[in-house]
Amino acid sequence: MSTRSRQGGYSLLELVVVGMVVAVLLGLAVSNWHGHAERQRLRYGVAQVASALRVAVERAKAERIAYTVTFNADSGDYTIARSGGGFLENARLPDRVTAERNLIVTVSAFGRPDAACTVTVRNGSGTAAASINAAGGISYQEP
């Protein structure tokens, strides 16, 4: 009768199988994380646009002078400026979030836009929009 002693540990095949399972799970987690991060950037971007419009409305009413918010679709930059100079804020949307088109929103000295307007922002996860109505009310929809 021969006894065969087996040493503890894992075989190479077992280690390879576990490694493959871990790699697949990590791949799924990373792709889900990237999608989530893109959606969060878009949510932050549309909230930022609504905030910029609100700043223009409130400053126009407080100072009784027109303001413009200018969106650049190519770079994701936008500016809030007082008509006639004096106040200028340059800002940028989050990375990889841009306005869908170049757009200038003008707000009168009474805090009302020249026309109701919707600013649409986009990135790889979709689009979202912020709107200013004829009375100067601002709303936005999240993706």
Side-chain angles (χ1 to χ4, degrees):
M1 172 158 150
S2 75
T3 59
R4 193 170 161 184
S5 78
R6 182 177 162 151
Q7 292 182 334
Y10 298 103
S11 70
L12 182 59
L13 180 60
E14 291 170 325
L15 291 174
V16 168
V17 169
V18 168
M20 289 173 51
V21 169
V22 168
V24 167
L25 292 175
L26 282 175
L28 292 172
V30 167
S31 68
N32 284 338
W33 174 254
H34 285 296
H36 174 72
E38 284 293 303
R39 284 187 301 277
Q40 288 301 101
R41 279 190 204 96
L42 185 60
R43 283 186 183 118
Y44 179 68
V46 74
Q48 192 174 341
V49 167
S51 178
L53 294 172
R54 173 63 58 206
V55 165
V57 166
E58 294 303 320
R59 283 185 162 273
K61 288 194 292 190
E63 299 171 17
R64 293 285 187 239
I65 192 163
Y67 269 79
T68 60
V69 184
T70 305
F71 296 93
N72 184 332
D74 296 328
S75 64
D77 294 336
Y78 64 93
T79 58
I80 305 169
R82 179 171 38 184
S83 296
F87 177 82
L88 177 67
E89 179 182 339
N90 293 312
R92 175 174 215 117
L93 292 169
D95 288 341
R96 296 186 295 278
V97 176
T98 59
E100 202 164 65
R101 63 187 174 96
N102 291 334
L103 184 65
I104 298 173
V105 179
T106 302
V107 179
S108 75
F110 299 105
R112 295 184 177 183
D114 289 346
C117 181
T118 299
V119 180
T120 304
V121 293
R122 62 183 162 89
N123 72 356
S125 71
T127 61
S131 299
I132 183 168
N133 64 29
I138 297 171
S139 62
Y140 67 96
Q141 61 136 72
E142 291 186 353

